[in-house]
Amino acid sequence: MRYRTLGRTGIKVSPYALGALMFATSVGNPDPDESARIIHKALDAGINLIDTADAYRDSEDIVGRAIKGRRDNVVLATKVSMPMGDDPNQQGASRRWIVTAAENSLRRLRTDHIDLYQIHRPDPTTDIEETLSALSDLIRSGKVRAIGTSTMPASDIVEAQWVAERRGLTRFHTEQPPYSLLNRGIEREVLPTAQRHGMGTLVWGPLGQGLLTGRVRKGGPNELRRAGFFKHLGDEHRLDTVERFISLAEEAGLPLTHLAMAFAIAHPGVTSAIVGPRTMSHLDDLLGGVDVALTDDILDRIDEIVPPGTDVGTLDQAYVPPALQQTHLRRRPVSERTAAHPHAA
């Protein structure tokens, strides 16, 4: 496995990272022992970065058990900020929650440090200085080695870098955005911004949450486990685009999964692409494509199907900023919506 430097941290990571969501017994593989075997095989193949999150049910616990005795060879990443219960303070990026959540993750992972601790989703209710201050203290204590974000808009990335510099705090070292043949929106601003600030980028969803596995065809049954609650997995336009990529992969003599993964790691702004195998056969298929390098001709054909910097629809898991979620932030009061002066004759 060829390794890449994670931003400017000096940490070397594999271009494929192992995502651990599918190791949670309630939403992924129900057999923790098989999940451990998948983790071991990935490590044996040279994948050294494992990415999980406190919100992934029992995933942290399963990962922690599986890497016992191999911890020093693993770049261990986890995340915080998604709700962990009904208590409104058991979520977000406040100092109060970050410090508590980090201790909880360390306990579940059976380790004394986290190599990369990431804010799972932006928290607009918390001042970014508060978040960076808490994360900086975790680094100083030795409990965290590097910090990052996930799905953070480019403007927020820049603000966080500015605040870190002005306040003498540790800056974010990485960003984890969605990226695939179907969703290339981050090429427009997020990737160039991360590159400009020397950040590593771990992209999630390189297989389109299963649409780019070749198992879903237009007009056929959609047996993806998440299709029942993610509308974008049944979007007709996305399925039409998948058919075009299936044809391109066939012309290139590649499985669609290999085409998708090779595309994701070809961008100079991408450090690693996170794969989330649920079974050993899924991992075996992905490992079979580690030596695939796409030609400029193939990449040009991909650009014709989905132009650079564009998305085929919106992911249900995409971050939606308050300016779009809250109507009062994009609508003036009724009394102020007219161009005429209210006292005009």
Side-chain angles (χ1 to χ4, degrees):
M1 189 74 66
R2 176 182 295 171
Y3 295 92
R4 300 172 173 180
T5 304
L6 186 60
R8 294 177 182 161
T9 65
I11 301 172
K12 308 299 182 183
V13 296
S14 47
Y16 284 15
L18 184 64
L21 172 61
M22 287 294 103
F23 300 145
T25 53
S26 58
V27 297
N29 194 315
D31 182 358
D33 291 334
E34 184 181 11
S35 293
R37 288 191 291 271
I38 294 170
I39 292 171
H40 294 160
K41 183 161 189 175
L43 295 177
D44 291 341
I47 294 176
N48 72 338
L49 172 58
I50 299 178
D51 178 76
T52 184
D54 57 3
Y56 293 170
R57 311 294 176 89
D58 57 350
S59 171
E60 284 185 323
D61 183 68
I62 290 168
V63 169
R65 291 177 185 273
I67 64 174
K68 183 179 180 180
R70 305 183 69 166
R71 174 67 184 91
D72 291 343
N73 303 117
V74 175
V75 178
L76 185 58
T78 192
K79 299 184 283 291
V80 60
S81 83
M82 299 292 272
M84 292 295 288
D86 295 331
D87 189 327
N89 286 312
Q90 293 184 348
Q91 60 184 290
S94 68
R95 170 180 286 275
R96 184 180 191 272
W97 178 235
I98 285 174
V99 173
T100 299
E103 294 292 346
N104 292 340
S105 288
L106 287 167
R107 184 181 66 255
R108 287 188 292 263
L109 291 165
R110 295 167 173 78
T111 185
D112 62 356
H113 71 280
I114 296 164
D115 293 302
L116 176 61
Y117 201 37
Q118 304 155 102
I119 303 301
H120 207 153
R121 288 292 184 274
D123 177 10
T125 67
T126 302
D127 193 305
I128 191 62
E129 183 177 348
E130 166 98 353
T131 300
L132 287 170
S133 177
L135 293 171
S136 296
D137 286 347
L138 286 174
I139 289 179
R140 294 189 192 101
S141 72
K143 295 178 180 179
V144 168
R145 300 292 193 258
I147 57 175
T149 56
S150 179
T151 72
M152 182 171 274
S155 59
D156 289 0
I157 292 174
V158 173
E159 180 186 2
Q161 295 284 324
W162 181 85
V163 168
E165 180 179 346
R166 290 294 296 269
R167 302 304 186 206
L169 301 171
T170 303
R171 66 189 186 89
F172 285 124
H173 302 105
T174 66
E175 160 61 11
Q176 186 178 137
Y179 187 54
S180 72
L181 290 167
L182 299 170
N183 286 88
R184 303 181 59 177
I186 64 169
E187 293 175 342
R188 186 172 296 275
E189 290 189 347
V190 171
L191 284 179
T193 298
Q195 288 176 278
R196 188 161 62 248
H197 292 285
M199 299 171 68
T201 306
L202 317 173
V203 299
W204 58 267
L207 298 181
Q209 292 78 53
L211 288 183
L212 297 170
T213 61
R215 294 186 288 122
V216 181
R217 302 298 300 266
K218 180 80 179 289
N222 190 335
E223 299 177 354
L224 296 178
R225 297 168 67 88
R226 290 175 278 184
F229 47 94
F230 286 155
K231 292 184 294 184
H232 71 263
L233 294 177
D235 179 78
E236 291 294 312
H237 184 30
R238 289 173 74 84
L239 293 175
D240 286 337
T241 307
V242 168
E243 289 297 318
R244 297 181 67 185
F245 281 127
I246 289 175
S247 297
L248 178 59
E250 290 174 349
E251 289 180 37
L254 295 171
L256 181 58
T257 51
H258 295 181
L259 177 75
M261 289 301 301
F263 167 79
I265 65 171
H267 193 289
V270 172
T271 310
S272 298
I274 300 172
V275 298
R278 183 172 54 85
T279 66
M280 190 68 79
S281 62
H282 292 165
L283 178 63
D284 288 339
D285 170 60
L286 294 168
L287 291 176
V290 296
D291 60 347
V292 172
L294 301 182
T295 64
D296 286 343
D297 177 62
I298 294 296
L299 291 172
D300 289 343
R301 296 280 300 280
I302 290 171
D303 289 349
E304 292 172 1
I305 297 173
V306 178
T310 65
D311 292 324
V312 182
T314 302
L315 297 174
D316 290 350
Q317 311 104 305
Y319 171 67
V320 181
L324 299 182
Q325 281 187 332
Q326 301 174 29
T327 56
H328 74 278
L329 295 178
R330 50 188 169 82
R331 297 178 186 173
R332 291 178 181 271
V334 175
S335 61
E336 299 178 8
R337 293 178 192 171
T338 177
H341 192 282
H343 304 298

